[in-house]
Amino acid sequence: MSKGKCKKCEEKCGKGKASPEVLSQLELGYEKLFKSDSPSMLKRFLIKEMFDKLKFKKTSFGSTLLDCIQSGLENLDSGIGVYAADPECYSVFADLFDQIIQEYHTFSPSARQPPTDWGPSNAFGNLDPTGQFVVSTRVRCCRTLKGFPLNPCMTEDHYKEIENLMQPTFSNLSGELKGTYNPLVGMPKDVQQKLIDDHYLFKEGDRFLQAANACRFWPTGRGIYFNAKKSFLVWICEEDHLRIMSMQPGGNVGEVFGRMVNGVKEIQKNNEFVASDRFGYLTFCPTNLGTTIRASVHIKVPKLAGDMTKFKDLADKYHLQIRGAAGEHSESKDGVYDLSNKRRLGLTEYQCMKEMYDGITEIIKAEKAKK
Ligand code: ARG
């Protein structure tokens, strides 16, 4: 990525060190975090020595430790609490990021992301042919476009440029992927809400992203592309530049994954993505690095849900993450849970998918066996 002459830098930067204003905000925030009982990795890993070392640093984009941790400082209920305000943050603030990445993905500081491997095209079948448990399946990946900074350093023009840049790519998509782009600007509120309720569109006003400075100039440049069946979708400029996803009712992981892979390959023909040797595809949040794949099912497991300790133990054993059906930070409704692979870095795309597929297979077995 080209070194940023971002607007923020031009306005605030100056020398290569955090300003007194940033330092005092950091000190205040740190004190509050330290006294809190926040469950976040930020709280656990940012010990005083590390804080005192990192608080002066600044990347060439002008990002400071505050830019990376302010979401976790403002939202003490964060699970992680940290975002990379620009790609350099992963190295400049590596002391902090490496620990989070190691724990979240079980990826050691000396490990490297393997090259992309989507695996054989017929590797996955239907998780639940009788349709008793799996309501729907969704696979997504994230991409950062070369030549653009990450959210906190983006100008209003960057958002517009990305949206414009994607239009020829979208018009070229054909067959099953053919669809329309729907910008958030000008979208009637009821249409937007229906897309959110039906689990197609990102929510508005995510307080974790807002505090991370990721929602500036909203809704400029944000939007969603989808095909007629809404089984192939691309989000523009939400948390990442691109979120490419495929979804459909039922448990046919093979079909869902295959469609996403086709979509990614098509989009890649006209666009270059940011990747690093060590972390694979670069994303705004350290939980999404590597393959960036989150493969999930909405699943009904009423018996397991009645024994949350067992359910959570099983999920941990198979590296699955449990969420509510309305997405991240939501509660389960009507006993439907969102289960997905937790690790995305240090594995190939195929291995990520397999981790989810095998894990869900075991979850279904356990649900059937439970009295
Ligand atoms: N920052 C939020 C937290 O720490 C979200 C983390 C992972 N999710 C994401 N959408 N990047 O809880």
Side-chain angles (χ1 to χ4, degrees):
M1 179 179 287
S2 58
K3 292 239 163 127
K5 245 200 172 185
C6 65
K7 206 169 174 194
K8 203 175 67 178
C9 287
E10 280 161 22
E11 282 168 2
K12 282 208 206 158
C13 280
K15 296 171 213 88
K17 260 186 150 188
S19 66
E21 185 194 322
V22 165
L23 280 172
S24 80
Q25 265 179 274
L26 270 171
E27 295 290 356
L28 278 175
Y30 189 73
E31 202 185 311
K32 198 177 99 192
L33 176 74
F34 192 77
K35 286 190 186 144
S36 77
D37 56 2
S38 169
S40 68
M41 289 197 194
L42 172 66
K43 156 98 201 253
R44 244 185 315 129
F45 291 134
L46 189 64
I47 54 167
K48 187 81 173 85
E49 291 75 24
M50 191 193 285
F51 176 74
D52 285 335
K53 177 178 162 197
L54 299 183
K55 67 186 180 189
F56 300 108
K57 297 192 183 240
K58 193 150 96 172
T59 70
S60 75
F61 287 82
S63 307
T64 63
L65 181 64
L66 184 64
D67 294 308
C68 297
I69 70 172
Q70 59 193 352
S71 182
L73 295 180
E74 273 182 41
N75 297 288
L76 293 170
D77 59 342
S78 294
I80 314 292
V82 171
Y83 294 93
D86 69 59
E88 275 174 35
C89 294
Y90 284 114
S91 43
V92 173
F93 305 106
D95 291 5
L96 176 62
F97 277 100
D98 278 357
Q99 292 213 39
I100 292 173
I101 289 166
Q102 175 159 17
E103 178 168 309
Y104 186 90
H105 298 280
T106 57
F107 183 83
S108 82
S110 62
R112 273 171 178 261
Q113 172 64 13
T116 297
D117 177 10
W118 301 108
S121 62
N122 58 354
F124 304 105
N126 194 329
L127 274 170
D128 178 29
T130 62
Q132 218 183 319
F133 305 100
V134 178
V135 181
S136 62
T137 303
R138 174 184 186 269
V139 184
R140 64 91 156 137
C141 67
C142 322
R143 291 291 184 267
T144 297
L145 292 161
K146 249 208 180 121
F148 292 94
L150 302 181
N151 266 319
C153 296
M154 279 170 70
T155 63
E156 189 164 12
D157 281 343
H158 285 138
Y159 284 102
K160 291 181 186 160
E161 280 169 38
I162 289 185
E163 188 174 49
N164 288 335
L165 179 76
M166 292 312 294
Q167 297 315 312
T169 300
F170 289 151
S171 332
N172 274 334
L173 293 175
S174 61
E176 195 190 18
L177 305 178
K178 189 177 165 60
T180 47
Y181 177 68
N182 306 269
L184 229 56
V185 172
M187 186 185 286
K189 277 287 161 202
D190 56 327
V191 173
Q192 184 183 350
Q193 194 53 49
K194 174 110 178 59
L195 285 170
I196 296 172
D197 293 343
D198 293 343
H199 309 297
Y200 295 120
L201 183 62
F202 45 84
K203 288 181 276 190
E204 198 163 44
D206 180 309
R207 63 190 159 90
F208 300 87
L209 288 178
Q210 275 175 344
N213 260 326
C215 302
R216 286 146 60 247
F217 317 113
W218 193 278
T220 299
R222 277 73 169 199
I224 178 174
Y225 171 91
F226 48 76
N227 64 358
K229 280 192 182 160
K230 296 203 187 75
S231 60
F232 177 73
L233 309 97
V234 186
W235 292 351
I236 303 290
C237 291
E238 189 239 14
E239 181 172 326
D240 292 293
H241 296 161
L242 304 181
R243 288 276 175 108
I244 304 169
M245 68 203 79
S246 167
M247 59 202 269
Q248 71 188 45
N252 198 324
V253 175
E255 268 180 32
V256 173
F257 182 51
R259 190 186 305 116
M260 190 201 72
V261 175
N262 284 343
V264 172
K265 286 181 177 165
E266 283 304 313
I267 293 175
Q268 196 159 3
K269 286 181 183 164
N270 315 311
N271 300 283
E272 251 192 286
F273 305 134
V274 183
S276 99
D277 281 350
R278 185 166 162 229
F279 290 136
Y281 288 108
L282 274 194
T283 52
F284 185 41
C285 180
T287 64
N288 286 325
L289 291 167
T291 63
T292 74
I293 285 190
R294 193 173 94 86
S296 63
V297 288
H298 279 183
I299 188 166
K300 285 184 279 196
V301 280
K303 290 183 189 157
L304 279 179
D307 182 352
M308 266 333 254
T309 315
K310 164 118 204 239
F311 188 24
K312 283 187 181 150
D313 283 351
L314 273 177
D316 284 347
K317 180 169 173 198
Y318 297 109
H319 301 289
L320 297 175
Q321 188 178 60
I322 306 178
R323 298 180 175 184
E328 193 166 26
H329 307 110
S330 76
E331 294 299 321
S332 163
K333 239 177 63 196
D334 312 322
V336 178
Y337 288 85
D338 175 309
L339 291 185
S340 60
N341 61 301
K342 184 171 177 224
R343 308 193 290 180
R344 329 183 204 289
L345 172 64
L347 304 83
T348 66
E349 286 72 3
Y350 167 70
Q351 287 168 332
C352 275
M353 292 302 300
K354 185 152 167 46
E355 194 146 278
M356 173 272 203
Y357 196 87
D358 294 348
I360 302 295
T361 303
E362 291 303 323
I363 293 279
I364 292 176
K365 265 193 214 158
E367 175 69 12
K368 281 183 181 161
K370 195 147 172 64
K371 297 269 171 336

